Amino acid sequence: AEFARGLDALGFELVASGGTAAFLEEHGLEVTHVEDVTHAPEMLGGRVKTLHPRIHGGILARRDRADDLDALDEQEIEPFDLVCVNLYPFASIAAKRGARMEDAVEMIDVGGPSMLRAAAKNFAHVTPVCEPSQYDAVLSELEQHGAVSAETRHRLAAEAFACTAAYEAAIARWFGEGAGLPDTLFLALEKVQDLAYGENPHQRAAYYREVGARRPLMSHVE
């Protein structure tokens, strides 16, 4: 809510879907609902809402290409400057003991990663935001400079692709459990903390743990 309020104060129009839109409205923010942009209702219990050309066209349009801008004008599509996505918590649900397949499947986000990857691909013109820890820095740049720098957008794109890669890896591992030795093994690791040094004092090191692991691991020991 604080991030959205900061964007609103800077003159951004907020577009959101489903629960996010309701949440922001509860906090007194004016929100344009996704269905008002797509002119199509959310479908299949919310499974289909942002997968639409009026969303992805606005994210992927290159602002320095006349043909892209002409296409937006022809279709009356407004471009997006910033895309903020918090992916469904698949890893935390799937990691629970006794988690059911149907519960895990419903936590597989489709539209979120698609929008995030689209924004990251078009980082030259769009700011991709995938973690709450990024909110303050993005708002600070917007408040101080009126835009997010190219360097920051590039860094955020790298973090966005890492985020979606870890997400897909957790899903692939979930579906592959019990299948023996897979042809391709996907591991997603998250940093727990930086360490003082590596094998030698002049080397850098960090401690990582596997994302969404359900079996006991040393990384779960304090």
Side-chain angles (χ1 to χ4, degrees):
E2 290 75 14
F3 184 52
R5 189 170 290 112
L7 294 173
D8 180 68
L10 291 167
F12 278 76
E13 177 186 356
L14 304 177
V15 178
S17 63
T20 303
F23 175 83
L24 296 179
E25 288 174 334
E26 288 173 3
H27 284 76
L29 290 159
E30 184 176 341
V31 179
T32 298
H33 288 247
V34 162
E35 53 261 42
D36 293 330
V37 175
T38 62
H39 307 309
E42 293 187 9
M43 298 172 59
L44 311 180
R47 280 190 165 195
V48 178
K49 47 194 173 187
T50 59
L51 297 171
H52 195 281
R54 298 186 68 83
I55 299 297
H56 287 271
I59 296 174
L60 286 165
R62 292 159 291 189
R63 316 299 165 79
D64 56 354
R65 289 274 299 264
D67 53 341
D68 280 16
L69 297 178
D70 289 343
L72 292 186
D73 289 339
E74 181 180 346
Q75 299 298 324
E76 298 182 341
I77 296 175
E78 292 189 50
F80 288 93
D81 295 315
L82 184 149
V83 174
C84 177
V85 175
N86 298 136
L87 301 178
Y88 293 170
F90 176 86
S92 62
I93 298 299
K96 291 181 179 179
R97 186 179 298 276
R100 300 181 307 166
M101 174 65 78
E102 52 266 37
D103 294 332
V105 165
E106 288 308 312
M107 284 297 106
I108 297 177
D109 199 336
V110 176
S114 298
M115 288 189 294
L116 195 55
R117 286 170 57 82
K121 176 176 180 175
N122 201 25
F123 73 91
H125 309 286
V126 181
T127 302
V129 179
C130 65
E131 295 286 348
S133 60
Q134 301 167 342
Y135 296 172
D136 289 344
V138 170
L139 277 180
S140 179
E141 281 201 33
L142 288 170
E143 290 167 353
Q144 294 179 29
H145 308 293
V148 178
S149 69
E151 293 77 13
T152 298
R153 294 197 306 274
H154 185 278
R155 174 177 58 81
L156 291 174
E159 294 175 8
F161 282 121
C163 176
T164 59
Y167 192 75
E168 298 292 345
I171 296 170
R173 185 176 63 246
W174 165 269
F175 275 94
E177 282 187 352
L181 301 175
D183 292 334
T184 305
L185 182 65
F186 299 96
L187 291 177
L189 305 172
E190 61 183 355
K191 183 190 286 185
V192 177
Q193 66 185 73
D194 289 309
L195 302 179
Y197 55 86
E199 186 173 355
N200 297 293
H202 69 281
Q203 295 171 326
R204 297 176 59 196
Y207 177 50
Y208 291 82
R209 66 181 169 209
E210 190 175 354
V211 176
R214 293 196 294 168
R215 55 189 178 279
L217 295 174
M218 285 298 294
S219 61
H220 293 168
V221 176
E222 294 186 8

